[in-house]
Amino acid sequence: MDKHEMQRAIAQRVAQEFCDGNVVNLGIGIPSLAADFVPEDTMIYFQSENGILGTGPSPAAGCEDKHIANAGGKAVTVLPYGAFFDSSDSFGIIRGGHVDITVLGALQVDEAGNLANWIIPGKLVPGMGGAMDLVCGAKKVIIAMEHTAKGKPKILRQCTLPLTAAGQVNMIITEKCVFEVTQDGLVLTEISNGYTAEDIRNTTEADYILSPLLNIREVG
């Protein structure tokens, strides 16, 4: 797979975690692609922290409305039932525990479910955004990311970058596999077709155990 195909494969797997009626917040990058893989017969209420509830799939090329964008500035569509509101109401939804699932990217995740995704010391960033609120306010936190960065593992024994939140991650989905975060640590539950258990071990620093129900995930 090339990078584009890999990112879409991750997003497609993320969408399988959504249930009819869920309120879901999608972070920028790979997480935002998940909206394109929701089955037509499934109603998901996508929430954007800049004040939209009811965003839909990405607009067709040339049909973007510059006035309608998500929190990352990416053009989005809004479904007929969609609603617009101010930032205080948006964060009331998030902090009030009304988001069922939030999907975020990560710089690092570790075996305790700690997340680092907002800053690399010494590099300028626009700010942490709503990530800290989302990971503490949502009922389920899914990390959707590429398995490595420049060949180096992103799933670590312990995060070395400043944390966004401690112990809040429930699931990690990469192009290679799926981990669930449990009280006993990371559990490898799926391996993507085309990869092996050895591939996962060689590119994952964290310790983990194999699920007795380990699945091979078809990709594509």
Side-chain angles (χ1 to χ4, degrees):
M1 292 187 291
D2 62 24
K3 189 177 183 69
H4 175 73
E5 292 171 333
M6 182 169 60
Q7 291 180 343
R8 290 183 65 81
I10 297 169
Q12 186 175 29
R13 176 58 185 84
V14 168
Q16 295 176 21
E17 294 300 307
F18 304 157
C19 297
D20 195 57
N22 278 169
V23 175
V24 177
N25 183 287
L26 300 176
I28 62 175
I30 294 172
S32 67
L33 301 175
D36 295 339
F37 295 100
V38 176
E40 291 185 2
D41 60 351
T42 302
M43 180 68 75
I44 304 298
Y45 299 92
F46 288 110
Q47 190 256 1
S48 181
E49 66 198 64
N50 59 326
I52 309 173
L53 183 64
T55 64
S58 302
C63 297
E64 299 90 347
D65 184 333
K66 66 179 182 180
H67 300 294
I68 303 178
N70 63 20
K74 179 185 175 183
V76 295
T77 58
V78 177
L79 299 177
Y81 58 79
F84 298 86
F85 36 83
D86 65 20
S87 189
S88 62
D89 286 334
S90 181
F91 277 86
I93 291 171
I94 295 167
R95 294 170 181 169
H98 305 293
V99 174
D100 294 298
I101 299 173
T102 187
V103 187
L104 298 147
L107 297 168
Q108 298 176 341
V109 188
D110 68 26
E111 58 193 51
N114 299 323
L115 168 66
N117 80 337
W118 77 278
I119 191 172
I120 297 175
K123 292 192 176 183
L124 293 176
V125 293
M128 66 185 70
M132 292 182 178
D133 293 282
L134 284 163
V135 295
C136 293
K139 297 170 186 173
K140 182 175 183 178
V141 177
I142 299 174
I143 299 304
M145 65 179 190
E146 294 177 31
H147 202 92
T148 61
K150 298 181 179 179
K152 295 183 178 180
K154 297 174 67 175
I155 305 173
L156 309 177
R157 289 189 178 88
Q158 185 173 3
C159 291
T160 59
L161 295 174
L163 294 185
T164 305
Q168 296 295 321
V169 175
N170 302 111
M171 178 177 282
I172 305 166
I173 299 176
T174 77
E175 76 280 9
K176 295 185 178 184
C177 65
V178 176
F179 286 106
E180 292 185 3
V181 185
T182 74
Q183 291 183 342
D184 297 321
L186 297 182
V187 178
L188 180 62
T189 59
E190 295 180 21
I191 297 176
S192 300
N193 187 32
Y195 295 98
T196 66
E198 185 177 8
D199 292 328
I200 310 304
R201 182 64 279 167
N202 290 340
T203 54
T204 306
E205 182 192 280
D207 291 326
Y208 57 86
I209 60 176
L210 300 180
S211 169
L213 302 176
L214 182 66
N215 292 322
I216 302 299
R217 182 172 95 227
E218 292 296 329
V219 176

Short mmCIF file of all heavy atoms in Angstrom, two decimals, residues 47-98:
data_model
loop_
_atom_site.label_atom_id
_atom_site.label_comp_id
_atom_site.label_asym_id
_atom_site.label_seq_id
_atom_site.Cartn_x
_atom_site.Cartn_y
_atom_site.Cartn_z
N GLN A 47 -19.36 15.25 15.47
CA GLN A 47 -19.26 16.54 16.14
C GLN A 47 -17.90 17.15 15.89
O GLN A 47 -16.87 16.49 16.05
CB GLN A 47 -19.49 16.37 17.65
CG GLN A 47 -19.63 17.68 18.42
CD GLN A 47 -18.39 18.05 19.21
OE1 GLN A 47 -17.40 17.35 19.18
NE2 GLN A 47 -18.46 19.17 19.92
N SER A 48 -17.88 18.40 15.47
CA SER A 48 -16.63 19.13 15.28
C SER A 48 -16.53 20.17 16.38
O SER A 48 -17.48 20.92 16.62
CB SER A 48 -16.59 19.81 13.91
OG SER A 48 -15.37 20.48 13.72
N GLU A 49 -15.37 20.21 17.05
CA GLU A 49 -15.26 21.04 18.25
C GLU A 49 -15.37 22.53 17.98
O GLU A 49 -15.52 23.32 18.91
CB GLU A 49 -13.94 20.74 18.97
CG GLU A 49 -12.71 21.14 18.21
CD GLU A 49 -11.48 20.45 18.73
OE1 GLU A 49 -11.40 19.21 18.64
OE2 GLU A 49 -10.60 21.15 19.22
N ASN A 50 -15.29 22.95 16.70
CA ASN A 50 -15.48 24.37 16.40
C ASN A 50 -16.95 24.74 16.28
O ASN A 50 -17.27 25.89 15.97
CB ASN A 50 -14.72 24.77 15.12
CG ASN A 50 -15.16 23.98 13.90
OD1 ASN A 50 -15.51 22.81 14.00
ND2 ASN A 50 -15.12 24.60 12.74
N GLY A 51 -17.86 23.78 16.54
CA GLY A 51 -19.27 24.13 16.65
C GLY A 51 -20.21 23.58 15.61
O GLY A 51 -21.13 24.27 15.17
N ILE A 52 -20.02 22.32 15.22
CA ILE A 52 -20.94 21.66 14.28
C ILE A 52 -21.30 20.29 14.82
O ILE A 52 -20.43 19.56 15.31
CB ILE A 52 -20.31 21.48 12.88
CG1 ILE A 52 -19.71 22.78 12.34
CG2 ILE A 52 -21.36 20.95 11.89
CD1 ILE A 52 -18.93 22.60 11.04
N LEU A 53 -22.56 19.92 14.73
CA LEU A 53 -23.00 18.56 15.01
C LEU A 53 -23.75 18.08 13.78
O LEU A 53 -24.75 18.70 13.38
CB LEU A 53 -23.91 18.50 16.23
CG LEU A 53 -24.37 17.09 16.65
CD1 LEU A 53 -23.18 16.25 17.08
CD2 LEU A 53 -25.40 17.16 17.76
N GLY A 54 -23.25 17.02 13.15
CA GLY A 54 -23.91 16.50 11.95
C GLY A 54 -23.10 16.72 10.69
O GLY A 54 -23.66 16.93 9.61
N THR A 55 -21.77 16.66 10.79
CA THR A 55 -20.97 16.73 9.57
C THR A 55 -21.06 15.40 8.84
O THR A 55 -21.29 14.35 9.45
CB THR A 55 -19.49 17.05 9.86
OG1 THR A 55 -18.92 15.99 10.63
CG2 THR A 55 -19.36 18.36 10.63
N GLY A 56 -20.87 15.46 7.52
CA GLY A 56 -20.98 14.26 6.70
C GLY A 56 -19.66 13.92 6.03
O GLY A 56 -18.60 14.36 6.48
N PRO A 57 -19.72 13.17 4.92
CA PRO A 57 -18.50 12.80 4.21
C PRO A 57 -17.79 14.02 3.62
O PRO A 57 -18.36 15.11 3.54
CB PRO A 57 -19.02 11.88 3.09
CG PRO A 57 -20.37 11.44 3.54
CD PRO A 57 -20.93 12.57 4.34
N SER A 58 -16.56 13.81 3.19
CA SER A 58 -15.81 14.89 2.56
C SER A 58 -16.54 15.35 1.30
O SER A 58 -17.10 14.53 0.56
CB SER A 58 -14.41 14.41 2.19
OG SER A 58 -13.72 13.93 3.31
N PRO A 59 -16.53 16.65 1.03
CA PRO A 59 -17.19 17.14 -0.20
C PRO A 59 -16.43 16.70 -1.44
O PRO A 59 -15.21 16.49 -1.39
CB PRO A 59 -17.15 18.66 -0.03
CG PRO A 59 -16.00 18.92 0.88
CD PRO A 59 -15.94 17.75 1.81
N ALA A 60 -17.15 16.57 -2.54
CA ALA A 60 -16.50 16.23 -3.80
C ALA A 60 -15.58 17.37 -4.21
O ALA A 60 -15.81 18.54 -3.87
CB ALA A 60 -17.56 15.99 -4.88
N ALA A 61 -14.53 17.04 -4.93
CA ALA A 61 -13.59 18.05 -5.39
C ALA A 61 -14.31 19.12 -6.20
O ALA A 61 -15.12 18.82 -7.09
CB ALA A 61 -12.50 17.39 -6.24
N GLY A 62 -14.08 20.37 -5.84
CA GLY A 62 -14.73 21.48 -6.51
C GLY A 62 -16.04 21.91 -5.90
O GLY A 62 -16.60 22.93 -6.27
N CYS A 63 -16.53 21.11 -4.93
CA CYS A 63 -17.81 21.42 -4.28
C CYS A 63 -17.62 21.88 -2.84
O CYS A 63 -18.59 21.97 -2.08
CB CYS A 63 -18.72 20.18 -4.30
SG CYS A 63 -19.18 19.64 -5.96
N GLU A 64 -16.41 22.21 -2.45
CA GLU A 64 -16.13 22.65 -1.09
C GLU A 64 -16.76 24.03 -0.84
O GLU A 64 -16.83 24.87 -1.72
CB GLU A 64 -14.62 22.74 -0.85
CG GLU A 64 -13.88 21.43 -1.00
CD GLU A 64 -13.39 21.19 -2.41
OE1 GLU A 64 -13.83 21.94 -3.33
OE2 GLU A 64 -12.56 20.29 -2.61
N ASP A 65 -17.25 24.23 0.37
CA ASP A 65 -17.75 25.53 0.82
C ASP A 65 -16.74 26.07 1.82
O ASP A 65 -16.56 25.50 2.90
CB ASP A 65 -19.12 25.38 1.48
CG ASP A 65 -19.75 26.71 1.86
OD1 ASP A 65 -18.99 27.67 2.11
OD2 ASP A 65 -20.99 26.78 1.94
N LYS A 66 -16.06 27.16 1.47
CA LYS A 66 -15.00 27.68 2.33
C LYS A 66 -15.51 28.13 3.69
O LYS A 66 -14.73 28.32 4.62
CB LYS A 66 -14.28 28.83 1.64
CG LYS A 66 -15.15 30.07 1.42
CD LYS A 66 -14.36 31.18 0.75
CE LYS A 66 -15.21 32.44 0.57
NZ LYS A 66 -14.44 33.52 -0.09
N HIS A 67 -16.82 28.31 3.83
CA HIS A 67 -17.38 28.75 5.10
C HIS A 67 -17.73 27.59 6.04
O HIS A 67 -18.13 27.81 7.18
CB HIS A 67 -18.64 29.59 4.86
CG HIS A 67 -18.39 30.82 4.05
ND1 HIS A 67 -17.61 31.86 4.49
CD2 HIS A 67 -18.80 31.16 2.79
CE1 HIS A 67 -17.56 32.81 3.57
NE2 HIS A 67 -18.27 32.41 2.53
N ILE A 68 -17.62 26.35 5.52
CA ILE A 68 -17.97 25.18 6.33
C ILE A 68 -16.76 24.28 6.41
O ILE A 68 -16.40 23.59 5.45
CB ILE A 68 -19.18 24.42 5.74
CG1 ILE A 68 -20.38 25.34 5.61
CG2 ILE A 68 -19.52 23.21 6.62
CD1 ILE A 68 -21.60 24.69 4.99
N ALA A 69 -16.10 24.30 7.56
CA ALA A 69 -14.87 23.53 7.77
C ALA A 69 -14.84 22.98 9.18
O ALA A 69 -15.50 23.51 10.08
CB ALA A 69 -13.65 24.41 7.53
N ASN A 70 -14.09 21.90 9.36
CA ASN A 70 -13.95 21.34 10.70
C ASN A 70 -12.89 22.09 11.49
O ASN A 70 -12.32 23.08 11.01
CB ASN A 70 -13.67 19.84 10.63
CG ASN A 70 -12.35 19.52 9.93
OD1 ASN A 70 -11.45 20.35 9.80
ND2 ASN A 70 -12.22 18.28 9.48
N ALA A 71 -12.58 21.58 12.67
CA ALA A 71 -11.65 22.29 13.56
C ALA A 71 -10.24 22.34 12.99
O ALA A 71 -9.44 23.19 13.39
CB ALA A 71 -11.64 21.63 14.94
N GLY A 72 -9.93 21.46 12.05
CA GLY A 72 -8.62 21.47 11.42
C GLY A 72 -8.57 22.32 10.16
O GLY A 72 -7.54 22.36 9.50
N GLY A 73 -9.68 22.98 9.84
CA GLY A 73 -9.73 23.81 8.65
C GLY A 73 -10.04 23.06 7.37
O GLY A 73 -10.02 23.66 6.28
N LYS A 74 -10.36 21.77 7.45
CA LYS A 74 -10.68 20.97 6.28
C LYS A 74 -12.16 21.14 5.93
O LYS A 74 -13.03 21.08 6.80
CB LYS A 74 -10.39 19.49 6.55
CG LYS A 74 -10.73 18.57 5.38
CD LYS A 74 -10.52 17.12 5.76
CE LYS A 74 -10.97 16.20 4.63
NZ LYS A 74 -10.83 14.77 5.01
N ALA A 75 -12.44 21.34 4.66
CA ALA A 75 -13.82 21.49 4.21
C ALA A 75 -14.62 20.23 4.51
O ALA A 75 -14.14 19.11 4.31
CB ALA A 75 -13.86 21.79 2.72
N VAL A 76 -15.83 20.41 5.01
CA VAL A 76 -16.71 19.28 5.32
C VAL A 76 -18.09 19.55 4.76
O VAL A 76 -18.44 20.69 4.39
CB VAL A 76 -16.82 19.05 6.84
CG1 VAL A 76 -15.49 18.62 7.42
CG2 VAL A 76 -17.34 20.30 7.56
N THR A 77 -18.88 18.50 4.68
CA THR A 77 -20.30 18.66 4.36
C THR A 77 -21.08 18.62 5.67
O THR A 77 -20.59 18.15 6.71
CB THR A 77 -20.79 17.52 3.45
OG1 THR A 77 -20.56 16.26 4.10
CG2 THR A 77 -20.06 17.54 2.11
N VAL A 78 -22.29 19.14 5.63
CA VAL A 78 -23.19 19.09 6.78
C VAL A 78 -24.48 18.42 6.33
O VAL A 78 -25.08 18.82 5.33
CB VAL A 78 -23.47 20.49 7.35
CG1 VAL A 78 -24.46 20.42 8.50
CG2 VAL A 78 -22.17 21.14 7.82
N LEU A 79 -24.90 17.41 7.07
CA LEU A 79 -26.11 16.66 6.72
C LEU A 79 -27.36 17.48 7.03
O LEU A 79 -27.30 18.48 7.77
CB LEU A 79 -26.10 15.33 7.47
CG LEU A 79 -24.90 14.43 7.13
CD1 LEU A 79 -24.92 13.16 7.97
CD2 LEU A 79 -24.87 14.09 5.65
N PRO A 80 -28.52 17.11 6.48
CA PRO A 80 -29.74 17.91 6.64
C PRO A 80 -30.12 18.20 8.09
O PRO A 80 -30.72 19.25 8.37
CB PRO A 80 -30.80 17.06 5.94
CG PRO A 80 -30.06 16.29 4.91
CD PRO A 80 -28.73 15.97 5.54
N TYR A 81 -29.79 17.31 9.00
CA TYR A 81 -30.15 17.53 10.41
C TYR A 81 -29.07 18.29 11.16
O TYR A 81 -29.17 18.49 12.37
CB TYR A 81 -30.40 16.19 11.10
CG TYR A 81 -29.21 15.25 11.04
CD1 TYR A 81 -28.13 15.40 11.92
CD2 TYR A 81 -29.15 14.23 10.09
CE1 TYR A 81 -27.04 14.56 11.86
CE2 TYR A 81 -28.05 13.39 10.02
CZ TYR A 81 -27.00 13.56 10.91
OH TYR A 81 -25.91 12.74 10.83
N GLY A 82 -28.01 18.71 10.47
CA GLY A 82 -26.87 19.33 11.13
C GLY A 82 -27.22 20.62 11.87
O GLY A 82 -28.18 21.31 11.54
N ALA A 83 -26.41 20.92 12.89
CA ALA A 83 -26.62 22.12 13.70
C ALA A 83 -25.30 22.84 13.91
O ALA A 83 -24.24 22.22 13.95
CB ALA A 83 -27.23 21.74 15.05
N PHE A 84 -25.39 24.17 14.02
CA PHE A 84 -24.22 25.00 14.27
C PHE A 84 -24.40 25.70 15.62
O PHE A 84 -25.51 26.12 15.96
CB PHE A 84 -24.06 26.05 13.17
CG PHE A 84 -23.83 25.48 11.80
CD1 PHE A 84 -24.91 25.12 10.99
CD2 PHE A 84 -22.55 25.30 11.31
CE1 PHE A 84 -24.72 24.60 9.72
CE2 PHE A 84 -22.34 24.77 10.05
CZ PHE A 84 -23.43 24.42 9.25
N PHE A 85 -23.32 25.83 16.37
CA PHE A 85 -23.41 26.48 17.69
C PHE A 85 -22.05 27.04 18.04
O PHE A 85 -21.06 26.80 17.34
CB PHE A 85 -23.90 25.49 18.75
CG PHE A 85 -23.40 24.08 18.57
CD1 PHE A 85 -22.15 23.70 19.02
CD2 PHE A 85 -24.19 23.14 17.92
CE1 PHE A 85 -21.69 22.42 18.84
CE2 PHE A 85 -23.74 21.84 17.73
CZ PHE A 85 -22.49 21.48 18.20
N ASP A 86 -21.99 27.76 19.15
CA ASP A 86 -20.72 28.41 19.49
C ASP A 86 -19.80 27.45 20.25
O ASP A 86 -20.18 26.33 20.61
CB ASP A 86 -20.95 29.71 20.26
CG ASP A 86 -21.59 29.51 21.64
OD1 ASP A 86 -21.53 28.38 22.18
OD2 ASP A 86 -22.14 30.48 22.17
N SER A 87 -18.58 27.93 20.48
CA SER A 87 -17.55 27.09 21.07
C SER A 87 -17.90 26.65 22.50
O SER A 87 -17.58 25.53 22.91
CB SER A 87 -16.21 27.83 21.07
OG SER A 87 -15.15 27.00 21.45
N SER A 88 -18.56 27.50 23.25
CA SER A 88 -18.90 27.12 24.63
C SER A 88 -19.89 25.97 24.65
O SER A 88 -19.77 25.05 25.48
CB SER A 88 -19.46 28.34 25.39
OG SER A 88 -20.65 28.80 24.80
N ASP A 89 -20.87 25.97 23.74
CA ASP A 89 -21.80 24.84 23.66
C ASP A 89 -21.07 23.58 23.20
O ASP A 89 -21.34 22.47 23.68
CB ASP A 89 -22.94 25.16 22.70
CG ASP A 89 -23.94 26.14 23.27
OD1 ASP A 89 -24.06 26.21 24.51
OD2 ASP A 89 -24.60 26.84 22.49
N SER A 90 -20.15 23.75 22.24
CA SER A 90 -19.41 22.61 21.73
C SER A 90 -18.62 21.93 22.84
O SER A 90 -18.65 20.70 22.98
CB SER A 90 -18.46 23.06 20.61
OG SER A 90 -17.76 21.97 20.08
N PHE A 91 -17.93 22.73 23.64
CA PHE A 91 -17.14 22.12 24.71
C PHE A 91 -18.02 21.68 25.88
O PHE A 91 -17.61 20.83 26.67
CB PHE A 91 -16.02 23.08 25.15
CG PHE A 91 -14.83 22.98 24.26
CD1 PHE A 91 -14.75 23.72 23.09
CD2 PHE A 91 -13.80 22.10 24.55
CE1 PHE A 91 -13.67 23.60 22.23
CE2 PHE A 91 -12.71 21.97 23.71
CZ PHE A 91 -12.64 22.73 22.55
N GLY A 92 -19.22 22.21 25.97
CA GLY A 92 -20.18 21.68 26.94
C GLY A 92 -20.57 20.25 26.58
O GLY A 92 -20.72 19.39 27.46
N ILE A 93 -20.72 19.99 25.27
CA ILE A 93 -21.00 18.63 24.80
C ILE A 93 -19.85 17.71 25.14
O ILE A 93 -20.03 16.59 25.65
CB ILE A 93 -21.26 18.64 23.27
CG1 ILE A 93 -22.57 19.36 22.95
CG2 ILE A 93 -21.28 17.21 22.72
CD1 ILE A 93 -22.79 19.61 21.47
N ILE A 94 -18.62 18.18 24.88
CA ILE A 94 -17.43 17.35 25.10
C ILE A 94 -17.20 17.11 26.59
O ILE A 94 -17.07 15.97 27.05
CB ILE A 94 -16.20 18.02 24.46
CG1 ILE A 94 -16.36 18.07 22.94
CG2 ILE A 94 -14.93 17.29 24.86
CD1 ILE A 94 -15.36 18.98 22.25
N ARG A 95 -17.17 18.18 27.37
CA ARG A 95 -16.85 18.06 28.79
C ARG A 95 -18.00 17.44 29.58
O ARG A 95 -17.79 16.90 30.67
CB ARG A 95 -16.52 19.44 29.36
CG ARG A 95 -15.23 20.01 28.77
CD ARG A 95 -15.04 21.47 29.15
NE ARG A 95 -13.82 22.03 28.58
CZ ARG A 95 -13.51 23.31 28.57
NH1 ARG A 95 -14.35 24.19 29.11
NH2 ARG A 95 -12.38 23.73 28.03
N GLY A 96 -19.20 17.51 29.00
CA GLY A 96 -20.35 16.94 29.68
C GLY A 96 -20.50 15.44 29.49
O GLY A 96 -21.47 14.84 29.99
N GLY A 97 -19.58 14.82 28.76
CA GLY A 97 -19.63 13.37 28.57
C GLY A 97 -20.61 12.91 27.52
O GLY A 97 -21.06 11.76 27.55
N HIS A 98 -20.95 13.78 26.56
CA HIS A 98 -21.95 13.44 25.55
C HIS A 98 -21.34 12.90 24.26
O HIS A 98 -22.08 12.55 23.34
CB HIS A 98 -22.81 14.67 25.25
CG HIS A 98 -23.45 15.26 26.46
ND1 HIS A 98 -24.43 14.59 27.18
CD2 HIS A 98 -23.24 16.43 27.10
CE1 HIS A 98 -24.81 15.35 28.20
NE2 HIS A 98 -24.10 16.46 28.18
#
